[in-house]
Amino acid sequence: MTIKIAAAQYDIGFLETWANYQSKIERWVQEAADEGAKILVFPEYGSMELASLFSEEIYKSLEKQLDAIQSLHDAYVDLYRSLAQQYSCYIQAGTFPVKIENGDYRNRAYLFWPDGRYDFQDKLQMTRFENEQWLIKSGVALKCFDTEYGKIAINVCYDSEFPLLARKQVEAGANLILVPSCTDTVAGYHRVRIGCQARALENQCFVVQSPTVGNALWSEAVDVNVGAAAIYTPVDRGFPDNGIAAIGELNATQWVYADISLAEIAKVRAEGQVCNYRDWPLQERFI
C-alpha cells in the first residue's frame, strides 16, 4: 500500500485570537488533505505561537507562557482530533508543553487517529535550553503506535540524535519514525537532519522531519526558526541514491510531500545490497 506523507515547514506567527490559530491549522490540514496526504506531521513547539494570544508580559517570559497556554490545551487537542476525523487522516500535531500533575512540564507530541483516538510520545532527551532555562523535563516512556499502515514511532527533535531510541522502536515493529523539530541555527537543523538520515540508514526505515521556520522575534521561546522538512528513506536499491524522497526549500513555508510504501521496508531488509537492520546486533561482539 502506498501512502502520501505530508511534512510541514511551519511558520511561527503572531496571533490575535484563538480563531486565527484555528483557521490557520484548518487551512494547513485542508491543503495537505486535498493533496491526498494520509499522514501529516507538524513541528516541535509549533504550539508556542499560542503564547502570542496573551500579554507581552506573558509571551516574553519563559515561565509565564508555559503556564498560560495550559488554558488552551483542551481546545488544542479537540482541534486536531476533529480535523483528523474530518479529513480521515493521521495527524502528528507537533508538540505542546503539557503541565502534569506534579507541576512539571513535558514536551508532548500528540498523534491523532482518523477514528478520534489519540496518544502521545513525550520527548526523552532534553536539550540544554530545555534543561537549563525552560525547565521542561524528560518523559518516562518510549512508545510505538499501531495504525492501519503499520506501526509508527515518534522521535522529538533531539531524540532523533540518539540511535538506541529509534532502534528500540523499530525492533518493536515501527517502519516509520516521525520527527517534529525546532532548531534556531543552521547547525542545529543539520544535527537533526543528520540524525534522521542516520536512523533511516541504520534501521532501513522511513524517517520524516518537520521543522518550524521563520523569525518570531516577539517570542522568548521560538524567536528564530531554521529548517527544511523532508522524508528520508533507506539508502539502497529501490530507493533514492541519497536517501531523500523529498526535501523542502530551506526556511520556506510549505508542505513537503512524498509517496511511500511501508511494505518496501521488509523487502529491502531481506534483499538489500546491505543489511544494516539485520546486522545491528553484530556490533555487540566488539563492545
Side-chain angles (χ1 to χ4, degrees):
M1 176 187 297
T2 298
I3 55 173
K4 185 180 290 291
I5 302 281
Q9 287 184 204
Y10 183 82
D11 60 313
I12 296 290
F14 191 91
L15 306 166
E16 295 181 355
T17 66
W18 167 261
N20 294 147
Y21 178 74
Q22 180 174 329
S23 295
K24 180 179 181 180
I25 298 302
E26 287 173 347
R27 289 194 303 271
W28 274 85
V29 171
Q30 182 178 0
E31 180 180 332
D34 286 348
E35 292 293 325
K38 292 300 181 183
I39 300 176
L40 284 60
V41 188
F42 284 93
E44 180 187 34
Y45 290 131
S47 61
M48 292 315 301
E49 66 182 350
L50 291 170
S52 65
L53 299 181
F54 300 92
S55 68
E56 182 175 356
E57 178 187 359
I58 289 175
Y59 65 67
K60 286 293 186 181
S61 166
L62 290 177
E63 179 182 0
K64 291 179 179 179
Q65 64 182 288
L66 290 180
D67 185 62
I69 67 170
Q70 300 310 304
S71 64
L72 301 172
H73 172 264
D74 290 350
Y76 173 91
V77 169
D78 288 345
L79 172 61
Y80 286 95
R81 185 182 182 188
S82 66
L83 289 171
Q85 292 176 289
Q86 179 180 349
Y87 291 101
S88 298
C89 61
Y90 292 84
I91 302 178
Q92 199 292 292
T95 71
F96 190 107
V98 175
K99 191 174 187 177
I100 62 175
E101 290 182 358
N102 68 0
D104 290 341
Y105 289 95
R106 298 286 187 267
N107 187 8
R108 183 156 293 176
Y110 284 105
L111 179 66
F112 297 88
W113 275 251
D115 63 5
R117 289 179 293 148
Y118 65 92
D119 204 339
F120 63 86
Q121 172 67 61
D122 286 340
K123 189 174 185 177
L124 302 176
Q125 296 286 111
M126 313 312 290
T127 63
R128 290 191 65 188
F129 174 68
E130 289 168 315
N131 268 329
E132 299 171 13
Q133 299 180 56
W134 222 1
L135 305 181
I136 298 177
K137 297 186 177 181
S138 169
V140 297
L142 184 65
K143 300 180 180 181
C144 283
F145 306 102
D146 290 310
T147 77
E148 63 186 286
Y149 306 118
K151 288 185 181 292
I152 292 176
I154 299 172
N155 285 182
V156 179
C157 199
Y158 195 39
D159 288 347
S160 69
E161 300 176 34
F162 295 85
L164 297 184
L165 299 178
R167 183 65 191 183
K168 186 73 172 179
Q169 291 166 316
V170 297
E171 287 177 347
N175 291 332
L176 173 62
I177 300 174
L178 310 181
V179 181
S181 70
C182 178
T183 51
D184 61 0
T185 64
V186 175
Y189 155 64
H190 279 287
R191 282 194 296 269
V192 179
R193 172 178 172 172
I194 290 166
C196 290
Q197 291 194 265
R199 305 296 80 80
L201 169 70
E202 67 206 12
N203 294 301
Q204 294 178 294
C205 67
F206 293 104
V207 180
V208 180
Q209 181 181 3
S210 167
T212 51
V213 297
N215 293 329
L217 300 181
W218 57 268
S219 173
E220 198 70 14
V222 288
D223 52 342
V224 179
N225 303 275
V226 177
I231 295 90
Y232 301 112
T233 74
V235 187
D236 210 318
R237 60 166 61 98
F239 296 95
D241 291 335
N242 61 1
I244 303 174
I247 191 165
E249 176 187 349
L250 186 70
N251 294 336
T253 299
Q254 63 181 124
W255 279 114
V256 175
Y257 301 100
D259 293 310
I260 67 170
S261 172
L262 295 181
E264 294 175 356
I265 297 302
K267 182 177 181 180
V268 73
R269 287 175 178 171
E271 303 175 6
Q273 295 170 316
V274 290
C275 299
N276 302 79
Y277 174 80
R278 186 196 70 189
D279 291 342
W280 175 276
L282 299 180
Q283 302 171 90
E284 298 173 4
R285 295 174 296 165
F286 308 105
I287 299 173

